Amino acid sequence: MSFFKKNNTYKTKEWKITKKCLNLILESSKSTYPNEFGALLRVDTEDIETIIELVLLPGTISGETHAIFRLNMLPIDFSVVGSVHSHPSYHPIPSKPDLQLFSRFGKIHIITAQPYNETSWKAYDYKGKEKKLIVI
Ligand code: ZN
């Protein structure tokens, strides 16, 4: 059997996030405004498609422009699957630096925007393509 066989046995991931975790993200985005809020996303180790927790990264700079993640500060933790940050605008659209970050690390990334409610956020994959994220 070839080591390089196609990974066609993997099914497409269906990402989920708990309502509690999403609420925390929205609350944090709101309270950090007009600065950006940034954190990492952690999944349940029993259910690796469900985001349940935020990891606050030491050294994350929350500024008026863009939350900067210090990737060298990343914990060696396979339950960390992506990132979340807030935009002080009404547009949860990834910027160029966002796309660079997405491509360098993680599988799912959330951006929140004003007014930081249940409909003012979007999730993206590592290419910056919009990704479905189910709230459970
Ligand atoms: Zn951004």
Side-chain angles (χ1 to χ4, degrees):
M1 199 186 1
S2 168
F3 177 76
F4 296 104
K5 84 177 168 99
K6 270 199 176 157
N7 294 329
N8 54 8
T9 49
Y10 288 104
K11 66 177 172 93
T12 313
K13 279 199 175 225
E14 186 147 88
W15 291 101
K16 286 159 269 175
I17 186 167
T18 62
K19 204 170 170 32
K20 196 177 150 200
C21 188
L22 180 65
N23 283 341
L24 181 63
I25 289 170
L26 295 171
E27 282 308 311
S28 305
S29 300
K30 223 179 269 179
S31 63
T32 313
Y33 176 84
N35 290 332
E36 288 198 2
F37 165 73
L40 300 177
L41 303 172
R42 174 177 274 156
V43 288
D44 188 341
T45 48
E46 309 271 282
D47 175 2
I48 55 160
E49 295 178 4
T50 302
I51 298 158
I52 53 159
E53 235 171 40
L54 298 181
V55 183
L56 298 173
L57 203 56
T60 298
I61 303 159
S62 177
E64 279 172 34
T65 49
H66 266 83
I68 300 158
F69 293 93
R70 294 206 176 143
L71 294 181
N72 58 335
M73 300 286 277
L74 268 182
I76 302 169
D77 182 343
F78 295 108
S79 64
V80 170
V81 292
S83 72
V84 55
H85 74 277
S86 66
H87 281 178
S89 70
Y90 286 86
H91 308 290
I93 312 295
S95 65
K96 251 193 188 153
D98 290 346
L99 292 171
Q100 272 166 17
L101 171 78
F102 295 178
S103 69
R104 284 175 61 193
F105 138 83
K107 301 176 196 122
I108 184 136
H109 301 275
I110 300 172
I111 300 177
T112 63
Q114 282 202 70
Y116 309 118
N117 65 24
E118 275 153 46
T119 58
S120 66
W121 61 275
K122 281 187 194 305
Y124 301 93
D125 70 5
Y126 72 99
K127 285 187 205 149
K129 200 175 143 241
E130 213 178 312
K131 198 117 178 124
K132 200 168 135 195
L133 180 59
I134 303 157
V135 183
I136 55 164

